Amino acid sequence: MKLAGALVLLGAALLLTSGGDCGICPAIKEKVELFLGPSVEAYVDFVKKYKGDNATLENAENMKNCADTKLTEEDKESVRSLLAKIEASKYCW
């Protein structure tokens, strides 16, 4: 999937989970920051707080490793910028 498509899907998912007020849940913000950050262990530990079965944790680790190898710093900044724009949008009430 192209980065632009991934960003659109991320934005849509975040808006849908925000309850309609465009405020992004702090847990989602934390998850995105951990996912984009340097530590696989920190991300997997975060996921473990919500669902600790082996398949989920293994999948989280695989996804994080894949993101670390595929996403550039520019890609990661684009995601962070999208989150900031969603929260700052004048169309959100």
Side-chain angles (χ1 to χ4, degrees):
M1 177 181 296
K2 299 280 187 206
L3 176 63
L7 291 175
V8 169
L9 289 175
L10 174 64
L14 291 172
L15 285 174
L16 290 173
T17 60
S18 69
D21 67 359
C22 295
I24 299 171
C25 172
I28 292 174
K29 281 186 192 179
E30 183 180 0
K31 181 177 183 177
V32 170
E33 280 305 316
L34 289 170
F35 186 74
L36 297 176
S39 173
V40 174
E41 184 178 329
Y43 177 71
V44 172
D45 285 345
F46 178 83
V47 171
K48 191 184 297 184
K49 291 191 302 188
Y50 297 95
K51 188 156 180 163
D53 65 274
N54 288 336
T56 299
L57 298 177
E58 188 175 314
N59 189 40
E61 183 175 351
N62 289 338
M63 285 182 11
K64 173 69 173 125
N65 285 326
C66 181
D68 286 349
T69 60
K70 301 289 183 185
L71 294 178
T72 66
E73 283 305 313
E74 183 179 344
D75 294 337
K76 293 175 182 182
E77 279 308 310
S78 294
V79 173
R80 289 180 181 108
S81 176
L82 174 66
L83 291 175
K85 287 179 182 180
I86 290 170
E87 287 194 309
S89 173
K90 67 180 182 178
Y91 298 108
C92 293
W93 317 343

